[in-house]
Amino acid sequence: MNNQPQRQSSILETIHKQLKIFNKDNLTRTSYYERYYDQNPEIRWALLAGIVSRNAGWNMTDLANEWFRTLLNEEDRHQLFAIYEASNWTIFQDACPQLMIYEQSKRQGRPLFYLLKEFGVSSFIINEWKMFWEKHSEERLCTALIINEQFVLEEAVLQQPLFKQVISKKPFFHLEQHTHLSYVLLPSIDGCLYTLYVRPFQKVSNRINLGKQLAFILFHPDTYPSIRSFMIHHPHTGSRHDYDKLMSWSPRVESFPLRLVYPVVTHQLMKRKDWSNKHTNVASYFKPVKPWKPVTRDQWVQHKWMMIYLAKMLKKWMI
């Protein structure tokens, strides 16, 4: 008797249940990405997603510290948090089933990627998973996942009215211009910081290029051991104290663990359109970044925090 449909139904039911558990908040998402990479190190994107998700958590809790409470009113801070949270949730909701189906495929020794249609995953990334199963190109799959998730994010979050409303506001515009709110940090175990930023981050091509550059730094032989060691030895709490306690300097502003600041947010699952149906020419996004030797940028980051502090003091003085 063929019980394959029954097994498939069981796999889908398990994934739906686990997705609800692991997509609870920024901490559960980050932890899942990093544990997944431990068990499936060939999926480089999972580790990249972990470090980017850490940054999302740090940005969320920054909004609750004294500096940002001075710089932005409560409505602006709430809207910014909503964008960070929605982006973090959306990417996980799309990517997690892909990661789980890959694990199931490994266990069964055969590709099960056709099941991803159940989760509204793009035909583009389904084809990339099939190609990876056959050719095992770790770098290509990582780039493909970067491309896919940025297009998913574009349509599900960044093209929505809330995002456009927030970035059009003068306080946010001035903060972004002077402090680079959209930079991503890659802390290392020895207290050094690697970082990149994107501007304007509204352009999907810029965010894809940023993702590829971050992957280059993360997996560069000179940086991977120290960044990976930081991630292993410092579980993500949402507080910037996760890494600033390792550095020779600190912004000296309170930074709270995420669950002390924000409740769990309930998201409405909306049916997504397949972005790849209208973006058929994506070959150019696979172009590798030009290699370079990663350098630490501690002073640059320190300068940006100083700019935020000065902006806060000016705002306080004006009030």
Side-chain angles (χ1 to χ4, degrees), residues 153-203:
L153 186 65
E154 181 75 10
E155 301 208 357
V157 178
L158 304 188
Q159 288 301 319
Q160 299 306 308
L162 175 60
F163 176 80
K164 293 182 176 181
Q165 177 186 349
V166 168
I167 65 169
S168 67
K169 291 184 176 181
K170 286 185 178 180
F172 178 80
F173 174 80
H174 290 306
L175 268 179
E176 168 58 22
Q177 289 296 306
H178 296 293
T179 67
H180 294 84
L181 291 178
S182 52
Y183 67 77
V184 179
L185 283 175
L186 297 90
S188 64
I189 194 67
D190 53 8
C192 295
L193 299 174
Y194 300 90
T195 185
L196 290 172
Y197 69 90
V198 58
R199 178 184 286 173
F201 61 86
Q202 297 96 311
K203 292 186 64 175

Side-chain angles (χ1 to χ4, degrees), residues 42-60:
E42 69 275 20
I43 309 302
R44 299 184 184 185
W45 182 86
L47 189 64
L48 175 64
I51 199 70
V52 173
S53 189
R54 283 179 181 249
N55 276 265
W58 296 330
N59 286 330
M60 290 178 191

Side-chain angles (χ1 to χ4, degrees), residues 128-271:
E128 289 294 329
W129 277 107
K130 291 176 180 176
M131 188 184 304
F132 175 74
W133 185 262
E134 295 174 358
K135 299 184 178 180
H136 310 290
S137 175
E138 296 180 11
E139 187 173 345
R140 180 181 174 91
L141 180 66
C142 183
T143 301
L145 283 162
I146 291 169
I147 294 168
N148 185 71
E149 299 316 323
Q150 287 307 320
F151 273 108
V152 168
L153 186 65
E154 181 75 10
E155 301 208 357
V157 178
L158 304 188
Q159 288 301 319
Q160 299 306 308
L162 175 60
F163 176 80
K164 293 182 176 181
Q165 177 186 349
V166 168
I167 65 169
S168 67
K169 291 184 176 181
K170 286 185 178 180
F172 178 80
F173 174 80
H174 290 306
L175 268 179
E176 168 58 22
Q177 289 296 306
H178 296 293
T179 67
H180 294 84
L181 291 178
S182 52
Y183 67 77
V184 179
L185 283 175
L186 297 90
S188 64
I189 194 67
D190 53 8
C192 295
L193 299 174
Y194 300 90
T195 185
L196 290 172
Y197 69 90
V198 58
R199 178 184 286 173
F201 61 86
Q202 297 96 311
K203 292 186 64 175
V204 66
S205 59
N206 288 357
R207 297 194 309 275
I208 289 171
N209 193 52
L210 173 67
K212 293 192 296 185
Q213 291 177 325
L214 289 169
F216 177 84
I217 293 177
L218 179 57
F219 292 101
H220 193 283
D222 291 348
T223 55
Y224 174 83
S226 60
I227 297 172
R228 182 72 184 117
S229 184
F230 166 81
M231 298 174 77
I232 291 171
H233 292 98
H234 295 277
H236 177 57
T237 69
S239 168
R240 287 198 188 268
H241 289 323
D242 291 346
Y243 67 82
D244 69 14
K245 60 190 174 186
L246 299 175
M247 301 185 305
S248 59
W249 63 272
S250 167
R252 297 188 183 282
V253 61
E254 72 273 7
S255 182
F256 307 104
L258 185 134
R259 286 178 180 163
L260 290 183
V261 183
Y262 298 113
V264 172
V265 177
T266 301
H267 295 267
Q268 183 177 359
L269 182 61
M270 300 177 64
K271 187 174 181 179

Side-chain angles (χ1 to χ4, degrees), residues 120-124 148 155 272-279:
V121 174
S122 73
S123 56
F124 162 82
N148 185 71
E155 301 208 357
R272 297 192 306 268
K273 295 180 180 179
D274 186 341
W275 66 265
S276 60
N277 287 338
K278 65 177 180 179
H279 296 280

